[in-house]
Every structure is written in structure tokens, then in C-alpha cells.
Amino acid sequence: MRNYLQDRVVVITGAGNGFGRLMAQMAAEFGARVVGADINAALLAETFDALDAAGHTVAYQQTDVSDLTQMQSLAAFAVERFGSIDVMINNAGVMPLAFFADHVRAADAWSKAIDINIKGVLNGISAVHDQMIAQGRGHVVNISSTYSNFPTEGAAVYAATKTAVNTISESLRVETQGKIKVTIVRPTGVIATGLGSTIVNPRGAAAISGHHARSFVGNFAKYAEGTLPPEMTDRDNPRYWALAPEDIAEQVIYVINQPWGVTISDITVRATGEEYIL
């Protein structure tokens, strides 16, 4: 595959760890100039100082995506350092799975999810929109979720935030078609990611497996114990059971490593043998 990422300026939120860190590393290896943002200054510095030490062209700035002023500052920083913003990946997010019966203990987490998952994406778009229009081209990538495909119990607020991401993304595509490329990325469940730490009630994850719930719970226990059959942990086997974060990051890099005239507008990434039904 040709390398279209060489020298493109790629801004990534939530870049301190998880998907964001992997995407930053992979984009840098393709020769992109990567600007990282994260609310966690220590993790952000750890990630990008390592990339800088490896000889990659990178910069970073601590940023709270829910604060428009900070996102505008991030965009200005990227332009000041590298002269443009070619790709904006709105990756920062939280996953406060909880039931309505959990409303007392979930209230703060739900509010945070609205601020990060919806306002964070909107702020990211607003921060780069005028720059991309002035350049005559740009690419906005918004990380959604298969939870946005259909409502389930235990995920109302999280799913609603990701549904909002879909609507915002498609509206941006319609308004800027021929000027700004827009991509929605819908990862399926990825167990080995920091998102799990933001879950309020772990039982909220069960509904996404539907009629596979019993086998899912059993396989999850085996996953935690490290006793899944080898074929279920082999990414080259159709029984591959749960995606690794690298599987998602690689597909995001694929999406942005395209010529300007080609847009992959919506991509869902699944493990072939997973038990999620959405």
C-alpha cells in the first residue's frame, strides 16, 4: 500500500495511552508529523518523549477536550509548529456503562461522558474546521462505537453519546463534502483497553452479547485467566474472540492513509469470532 501519510500533520486526542498512543506511534512510523493531546500530562509526555527520542517529528500539548478554548489552543499550536492540520482524530472518550437504577452513583460519570464524548468531538471539529477549509482539504476522524447501532440496557448514556457522534459526523460530511473528509470508526468491544476503568456497572456490558450472554461470560472468565483456546487468541483464526487495541489502531491508520480523493466514510472493526451482536 502506498504511503500517503508522509509529512501529513495528524492531531490525536486521548493520545497518552490506549488507542491514541498506538495511533500516534503508527502514524509517526509512516512519517506523519503527529501532535498529541491528552488531559493526563504524564502519560502524554511519556508517549511523545519516547517518539521524539526515536527520531519522529512530534509535538504535544496537555488538553481537556471538553474545553473549547483549550481545543482551539491545541489547533493553533499544531499550525504554529507544523503549518497545517491535515487530520484530526477525535479519539478521547469514556464508557460509563450503567443502568438507570444506578443513576445516583452514575450521575457524575454520565455528565463527564457527555462533556468528553459529545462536546469533545464537537470542540475538535470546531477547532480545526476553519483551518481545514482555508487549506482546501482536511480529514476528521471520529471514534464512535458499535454501541451506537442499537439501544441496549445498561448503556443508555454511553450509546447516546456515540449516536450523537454519528449524527455530528454525517452532518459535517454533508456540509463540507468536497472540502473535508469525514470518517466514523465504530470499534466493537475491546477488552484490553483503558475504557474499562470508566465503567460504572460492569453488568452493563452483558446486553451487547444478547443471546450469547452465557457463553460470553464463560469466555470472558477464560480470557481473564489466560485459558482461552489458542485459536480464540490467534488474530489469523476466524475464531479470534476479542480484538486487541492494535487491531483498532491499525484500521484507523488505514483510514487516514488514503489519497485526498478517497474517503472511507464509515468503518466497523470486529473480531471474527466475537459474541457481541450489535
Side-chain angles (χ1 to χ4, degrees):
M1 183 176 180
R2 290 183 59 182
N3 180 11
Y4 295 98
L5 277 177
Q6 182 68 45
D7 295 325
R8 285 190 186 176
V9 179
V10 179
V11 181
I12 306 172
T13 66
N17 62 1
F19 297 147
R21 172 181 285 185
L22 291 168
M23 288 186 282
Q25 293 169 341
M26 293 177 187
E29 288 168 1
F30 272 86
R33 294 172 288 177
V34 183
V35 179
D38 202 293
I39 198 168
N40 188 315
L43 289 175
L44 186 64
E46 176 186 314
T47 297
F48 280 80
D49 287 348
L51 289 172
D52 180 66
H56 298 296
T57 304
V58 298
Y60 61 91
Q61 181 168 295
Q62 182 183 17
T63 307
D64 179 352
V65 299
S66 68
D67 186 321
L68 177 58
T69 300
Q70 291 190 39
M71 289 297 284
Q72 291 169 331
S73 174
L74 173 67
F77 171 71
V79 173
E80 179 183 355
R81 288 296 299 268
F82 300 126
S84 66
I85 301 173
D86 297 306
V87 181
M88 177 67 180
I89 304 177
N90 290 306
N91 166 69
V94 293
M95 188 172 69
L97 300 182
F99 298 87
F100 286 108
D102 300 315
H103 64 89
V104 173
R105 63 180 175 130
D108 289 345
W110 283 344
S111 293
K112 185 177 181 180
I114 292 168
D115 286 343
I116 295 174
N117 295 3
I118 300 179
K119 290 173 62 178
V121 169
L122 183 59
N123 290 342
I125 292 168
S126 299
V128 303
H129 177 275
D130 293 355
Q131 176 65 33
M132 289 183 174
I133 293 296
Q135 293 169 184
R137 66 189 188 187
H139 190 179
V140 173
V141 179
N142 296 328
I143 307 299
S144 180
S145 169
T146 53
Y147 271 102
S148 70
N149 292 352
F150 198 83
T152 65
E153 63 177 7
V157 174
Y158 176 64
T161 65
K162 293 305 185 177
T163 301
V165 168
N166 298 346
T167 301
I168 290 168
S169 301
E170 291 291 7
S171 296
L172 176 66
R173 178 188 61 79
V174 171
E175 291 185 21
T176 63
Q177 198 155 10
K179 302 170 186 176
I180 297 176
K181 305 192 332 177
V182 182
T183 300
I184 301 167
V185 179
R186 304 175 198 240
T188 189
V190 182
I191 296 173
T193 178
L195 275 179
S197 65
T198 64
I199 292 175
V200 176
N201 188 335
R203 292 191 300 110
I208 198 173
S209 61
H211 55 276
H212 295 306
R214 179 174 295 180
S215 61
F216 174 79
V217 170
N219 284 326
F220 184 87
K222 293 177 183 176
Y223 175 90
E225 297 166 354
T227 59
L228 276 177
E231 62 270 20
M232 296 178 73
T233 61
D234 179 2
R235 65 190 309 218
D236 198 35
N237 191 297
R239 291 196 65 197
Y240 187 48
W241 183 76
L243 292 176
E246 291 84 352
D247 298 322
I248 303 296
E250 286 176 358
Q251 298 310 311
V252 176
I253 296 302
Y254 167 72
V255 161
I256 65 175
N257 186 23
Q258 300 292 331
W260 283 112
V262 176
T263 301
I264 298 171
S265 60
D266 193 313
I267 183 170
T268 297
V269 188
R270 301 180 181 276
T272 308
E274 70 176 34
E275 294 170 299
Y276 304 114
I277 63 173
L278 297 183

